[in-house]
Amino acid sequence: MDNRELVVQLIQQDLKHSQLSETLRHMGLDDGGLYALDLITIVARLMEVPPHQMDDFAEVYGTFLDEAPQYPTTYLGEALWPVAEECYKKLLGCLEG
């Protein structure tokens, strides 16, 4: 598995976790972020994000997490793979721009 694929897989899992968190919140089980995985830190490290670009990077990443509940929830999160790939491309764009 190359670095790109690993990063996309981490993003996919964070998207899936976001779906779970949002579903629980709608059921009245809001954890207030206590159980956040903070995978963005690992993703940023793997993508070698410079500190001065972290705010833009986090904004793009967070937007995708916020939109995750709009996608179908599946056992393996396969519906989120293309979303994770799109997120990765946008994150790369942040680093290039």
Side-chain angles (χ1 to χ4, degrees):
M1 178 182 304
D2 64 9
N3 190 48
R4 180 200 163 284
E5 189 177 344
L6 177 61
V7 169
V8 172
Q9 191 172 21
L10 284 168
I11 294 168
Q12 178 193 26
Q13 292 307 308
D14 213 4
L15 293 168
K16 186 172 169 104
H17 183 263
S18 184
Q19 287 180 323
L20 170 64
S21 296
E22 188 63 16
T23 299
L24 291 173
R25 189 180 73 74
H26 282 294
M27 295 172 62
L29 300 170
D30 189 356
D31 69 357
L34 182 64
Y35 294 103
L37 298 176
D38 194 33
L39 293 181
I40 188 174
T41 303
I42 299 168
V43 170
R45 189 169 180 190
L46 288 169
M47 293 182 74
E48 300 177 357
V49 179
H52 70 277
Q53 290 182 306
M54 195 58 199
D55 286 344
D56 291 338
F57 188 88
E59 185 176 332
V60 169
Y61 194 92
T63 299
F64 276 87
L65 290 182
D66 290 344
E67 295 173 357
Q70 298 174 20
Y71 296 93
T73 303
T74 60
Y75 181 70
L76 298 175
E78 57 274 3
L80 295 171
W81 185 261
V83 181
E85 287 182 317
E86 182 63 26
C87 179
Y88 178 80
K89 290 175 190 171
K90 296 252 187 205
L91 293 171
L92 279 180
C94 282
L95 299 177
E96 295 169 357

